Amino acid sequence: MNQPQTGELQALDRAHHLHPFTDFKALGEEGSRIITHAEGIYIYDSEGQRILDGMAGLWCVNLGYGRQELVDAATEQMRQLPYYNNFFKTTHEPAVRLAEKLCQLAPSDINRVFFTGSGSEANDTVLRMVRRYWAIKGRPRKRVVIARENAYHGSTIAGMSLGGMAPMHAQGGPCVPGIEHIRQPYWFGEGRDQSPTAFGQECAAALEAKILELGEDNVAAFIAEPVQGAGGAIIPPDSYWPAIKAVLARHDILLVVDEVICGFGRLGEWFGSQHYALQPDLMPIAKGLSSGYLPIGGVLVGDRVAEALIEEGGEFFHGFTYSGHPTCAAVALRNLELMEREGVIQHVREDVGPYLAKRWSELAEHPIVGEARSLGLIGSLELVADKANGERFDKSLAAGNLCRDLCFQHGLVIRSVGDTMIVSPPLVMTREQIDELVALARQALDDTARHLGITSINSSKGDR
Ligand SMILES: *Cc1c(COP(=O)(O)O)cnc(C)c1O
């Protein structure tokens, strides 16, 4: 294999390439890591380091790297029909077959899909659809969407506005009007003075309070992820979703479940909604839909909204050049077929999900870990300065970033959100690979503690 010239690429990168979610100047000074190739759950950089990809790219490479079947699906489709649109009374087999497959996998009252190129575009579509729905129903004042603080729903203007990331709002505002945020069910961060059960109920009560404050006649929808991904792999208390469902049952508003991360096996079901027994009206999807091999997203549309749009709506003035792109759709379809054939969902639910839960929870004993939680193949660690009371490290220490960089040095990608460390690895991992992931994370935690001057490290026994 031709080794690229690391220094030359870094210089060109610095000169011409603005990276997403990046401090351009700081990265320029440090230089980018150049990823050259990947296989299975490992990526390789231009210096020859092998790195276990504990984030599945960006929460998406669920089947792992190097899947020839996906390459073949793209190649065959590109030869036959690389692109055609779905706008003017035309379509093609990949878009139709993928739509059918998705509706077969989705909860039973979801039978339509609107394709997009990404998760952000899917959430733009959500905003357009919920407002259109209520307008068609003769209730145009029902326009407000309730979302949650610290939610991530994408980085277009609508995605950012639906999301509850304060730094994004500060840079990208003013946000789209008619979006309100309530508190998130983040027990470790915001609820430790109560039991998780009580806290989950209180967070759900915040939804009802917001609906009453705004007036139900003004509220179109509530949007949330089953488990918040980018917010910090926040698994809500068990009481949360049942209490939210009870609130929704008392009010006539739509439920939008953002499945961009939780969809396609992450929680051990096809959709996170199925894990929590939710009945969404709309489900934005992307990421794992194609295992990241090509960009594609969409919105799964429940019968209630679809029938209004179809029967009473006339033309819906919305869509993207790449809505239902045939090559992306062909790859997504093959990806779903492979997941079925290989039993990936059961693998997560019955084997590696419980195994990760067991191994990951052992990290809670580490001196700088305040909590270790996981569900299916998503997990996180809360870094703390004081285990006894959960006190955080001083912000200036940037403990999370330090730990992330040390993970990289040890050959592991895990991500930091503040001082919360996140894993979301490929779903095809084996138990042995989970052992390796946990061992690498433990070494990086030990190193992090050492760098931060914590001396009581004796937890590395038993791991390599
Ligand atoms: C990544 C993400 C999005 C945005 O998807 P893009 O494809 O990056 O536009 C939306 N919602 C959630 C929950 C996500 O994690």
Side-chain angles (χ1 to χ4, degrees):
M1 182 161 309
N2 245 347
Q3 281 297 329
Q5 303 299 305
T6 306
E8 183 200 346
L9 286 177
Q10 285 176 329
L12 291 171
D13 185 57
R14 185 180 302 119
H16 301 299
H17 183 192
L18 300 176
H19 293 222
F21 282 91
T22 292
D23 177 336
F24 307 125
K25 190 167 178 206
L27 179 67
E29 282 157 12
E30 205 177 324
S32 300
R33 185 186 292 265
I34 317 278
I35 306 303
T36 54
H37 60 291
E39 184 60 39
I41 65 162
Y42 300 97
I43 57 174
Y44 295 82
D45 72 14
S46 58
E47 301 297 278
Q49 192 184 357
R50 182 180 97 145
I51 306 163
L52 194 166
D53 185 4
M55 282 304 296
L58 210 44
W59 324 82
C60 53
V61 189
N62 289 357
L63 282 188
Y65 299 93
R67 300 298 302 241
Q68 187 60 40
E69 303 94 327
L70 299 182
V71 178
D72 291 344
T75 311
E76 287 157 19
Q77 186 56 45
M78 289 184 91
R79 247 187 229 117
Q80 187 173 333
L81 181 69
Y83 173 74
Y84 200 71
N85 71 72
N86 291 279
F87 276 51
F88 310 115
K89 303 186 185 175
T90 58
T91 190
H92 36 66
E93 187 166 2
V96 175
R97 296 262 180 235
L98 178 60
E100 184 208 16
K101 184 86 219 162
L102 283 166
C103 295
Q104 182 194 321
L105 299 172
S108 59
D109 51 359
I110 293 183
N111 291 294
R112 304 282 189 322
V113 57
F114 190 104
F115 287 116
T116 68
S118 69
S120 299
E121 289 177 6
N123 280 319
D124 275 58
T125 302
V126 160
L127 194 58
R128 296 285 305 273
M129 265 186 195
V130 297
R131 290 183 173 171
R132 180 78 193 120
Y133 170 78
W134 288 114
I136 291 170
K137 286 289 162 197
R139 302 179 71 182
R141 280 176 50 218
K142 275 174 92 65
R143 288 178 54 182
V144 178
V145 177
I146 301 175
R148 302 183 302 186
E149 290 161 6
N150 194 38
Y152 188 79
H153 295 299
S155 196
T156 53
I157 296 285
M160 171 204 76
S161 303
L162 287 166
M165 299 280 176
M168 290 175 76
H169 291 175
Q171 285 185 352
C175 293
V176 174
I179 296 171
E180 297 274 332
H181 295 86
I182 58 169
R183 67 182 308 183
Q184 54 176 340
Y186 180 22
W187 180 77
F188 188 85
E190 301 177 4
R192 267 176 304 142
D193 52 338
Q194 303 175 55
S195 71
T197 304
F199 178 70
Q201 282 158 350
E202 188 176 292
C203 292
L207 174 61
E208 183 136 55
K210 183 57 89 176
I211 294 169
L212 297 175
E213 173 199 322
L214 296 166
E216 187 178 327
D217 286 348
N218 298 310
V219 180
F222 172 59
I223 181 170
E225 283 182 275
V227 168
Q228 268 159 278
I234 295 165
I235 302 164
D238 288 342
S239 60
Y240 180 74
W241 276 114
I244 290 280
K245 284 199 301 189
V247 172
L248 293 172
R250 288 194 285 273
H251 300 280
D252 190 17
I253 68 174
L254 301 173
L255 172 61
V256 183
V257 179
D258 186 332
E259 295 273 4
V260 171
I261 286 176
C262 295
F264 310 107
R266 182 63 49 200
L267 305 188
E269 300 286 347
W270 280 101
F271 296 99
S273 293
Q274 291 156 336
H275 177 82
Y276 287 111
L278 308 176
Q279 279 154 354
D281 293 291
L282 299 171
M283 298 201 304
I285 55 174
K287 293 196 171 112
L289 170 55
S290 64
S291 277
Y293 277 62
L294 284 175
I296 182 167
V299 181
L300 284 161
V301 184
D303 294 341
R304 178 180 178 183
V305 174
E307 273 154 28
L309 290 171
I310 293 165
E311 298 302 328
E312 307 165 58
E315 181 172 349
F316 185 45
F317 300 112
H318 176 65
F320 303 102
T321 304
Y322 297 140
S323 286
H325 189 293
T327 306
C328 303
V331 169
L333 181 61
R334 189 71 57 92
N335 176 61
L336 299 180
E337 288 167 354
L338 288 171
M339 287 184 69
E340 271 190 324
R341 198 179 311 156
E342 296 174 8
V344 172
I345 303 295
Q346 296 90 308
H347 175 69
V348 173
R349 185 177 56 227
E350 285 155 28
D351 188 1
V352 288
Y355 190 69
L356 178 69
K358 174 173 167 288
R359 295 300 329 274
W360 196 248
S361 67
E362 293 165 17
L363 294 173
E365 285 146 35
H366 195 278
I368 62 166
V369 174
E371 183 182 71
R373 55 177 182 263
S374 76
L375 177 63
L377 281 196
I378 187 170
S380 53
L381 303 172
E382 301 283 2
L383 302 187
V384 292
D386 185 338
K387 267 180 98 74
N389 61 13
E391 195 187 309
R392 297 287 194 176
F393 287 103
D394 194 282
K395 275 211 167 32
S396 66
L397 294 170
N401 283 349
L402 172 68
C403 183
R404 182 200 57 202
D405 292 349
L406 291 168
C407 283
F408 252 119
Q409 281 181 24
H410 282 281
L412 172 67
V413 180
I414 71 178
R415 176 168 164 188
S416 59
V417 176
D419 286 352
T420 307
M421 310 307 299
I422 299 174
V423 283
S424 177
L427 304 183
V428 294
M429 282 188 98
T430 63
R431 287 180 176 229
E432 293 69 35
Q433 290 170 332
I434 287 175
D435 290 339
E436 184 186 353
L437 183 154
V438 172
L440 291 170
R442 189 185 293 274
Q443 289 167 11
L445 287 169
D446 286 354
D447 265 11
T448 305
R450 239 172 257 124
H451 274 78
L452 294 170
I454 312 278
T455 46
S456 59
I457 308 162
N458 53 12
S459 65
S460 293
K461 283 178 282 180
D463 273 315
R464 276 165 299 149

